[in-house]
Amino acid sequence: MSRLKSTDVDRSVKAVKRTLAILDAFIPHPGGITLGELETATGLFKSVIMRYMLTLEAEHYVFKRPDGRYELGSRAYQLGCTYQRTFNLHQHVLPVLETLTAATLESSTFYVRDGDHRMCLLRQDSPHHIKSSVPVGTLLDMDDTSAASVLRQFEHGVSPRWDYRQGLFTSSGAGLNRQLADSLLTASISVPVFKHDNQLAGALSISGPTSRFDPEDAASQQLMLETAKALSAVLGAVIAE
């Protein structure tokens, strides 16, 4: 039985990366893409791209239009449909909330917009006896808290070149909603999470009592930014480094 040499494996991996780079180049070009644009996006020569395109066309991952531009093909559409049918937001967000709470020992929440309200969609409570607590499913006002600010600010999404540092909001003792007795004693940090087409998926927040949790803590803010950006990438957003 023949064995693959390391050089063979390296070449195979390189070919896969090139293929994925070509397919990724279609994402910001929904109206079709030219060979020249593919060359710019991938850094590959047109002659190299053409070899890959012949195979991708034959397998229906791309097709060439009469005007010479390329579009994604039916096989790529089938993959997208399969992803959409099997995608579960909860299974991606819940582990993130658990990780944030384990790191900060404060409550972590994922809010979504529901008309004139924000809804607590997912939640991981702090292990502390005294904590910020919002039951899953609770509807709250679109007030002056950090989470509400995020949901208002980014309701129309962002461009791929957007700087994630612009998305961090903090609040302390905020909240005009009187459904929660501790609203004026709570501090929070919130950041947006995006999905496909860089549309808003929701607001990721950590919150705790103002007596213990400082929303201006640099380490906590950096953790939130890195976490939200990583989750956005998993959900299909494209944000510049």
Side-chain angles (χ1 to χ4, degrees), residues 49-238:
I49 295 171
M50 277 301 302
R51 293 201 298 270
Y52 283 87
M53 296 302 276
L54 290 173
T55 300
L56 290 171
E57 279 188 90
E59 298 298 329
H60 305 291
Y61 280 94
V62 303
F63 74 92
K64 188 176 183 180
R65 299 188 328 208
D67 64 2
R69 299 179 75 86
Y70 290 89
E71 289 187 359
L72 290 175
S74 59
R75 193 64 174 169
Y77 176 72
Q78 287 178 310
L79 285 176
C81 289
T82 300
Y83 172 81
Q84 189 174 43
R85 287 195 302 269
T86 59
F87 178 78
N88 185 329
L89 180 66
H90 289 53
Q91 72 180 11
H92 293 291
V93 176
L94 275 176
V96 170
L97 298 181
E98 292 169 358
T99 299
L100 282 175
T101 294
T104 64
L105 299 181
E106 300 296 352
S107 298
S108 303
T109 313
F110 190 78
Y111 290 100
V112 294
R113 184 80 180 258
D114 187 352
D116 294 330
H117 296 84
R118 55 187 168 100
M119 184 180 74
C120 174
L121 182 68
L122 297 166
R123 176 81 172 183
Q124 180 66 41
D125 278 334
S126 165
H128 290 297
H129 177 66
I130 299 176
K131 59 193 172 188
S132 166
S133 183
V134 181
V136 170
T138 300
L139 286 176
L140 301 171
D141 293 337
M142 288 292 289
D143 46 30
D144 55 349
T145 56
S146 64
S149 298
V150 165
L151 294 176
R152 273 194 303 270
Q153 182 72 24
F154 302 104
E155 60 180 337
H156 300 301
V158 294
S159 71
R161 297 186 180 278
W162 177 75
D163 186 345
Y164 226 110
R165 288 170 295 185
Q166 299 174 22
L168 189 141
F169 285 77
T170 64
S171 59
S172 184
L176 301 177
N177 192 297
R178 293 298 181 261
Q179 296 177 32
L180 301 176
D182 66 347
S183 62
L184 298 181
L185 302 175
T186 299
S188 65
I189 302 173
S190 298
V191 285
V193 173
F194 300 99
K195 55 185 178 180
H196 293 290
D197 297 324
N198 287 4
Q199 294 302 299
L200 184 66
L204 185 65
S205 298
I206 52 173
S207 57
T210 53
S211 60
R212 185 180 65 230
F213 178 61
D214 178 12
E216 302 305 321
D217 176 65
S220 296
Q221 291 186 359
Q222 185 62 29
L223 174 64
M224 288 296 288
L225 288 171
E226 292 175 356
T227 302
K229 191 170 184 179
L231 179 57
S232 294
V234 170
L235 299 186
V238 179

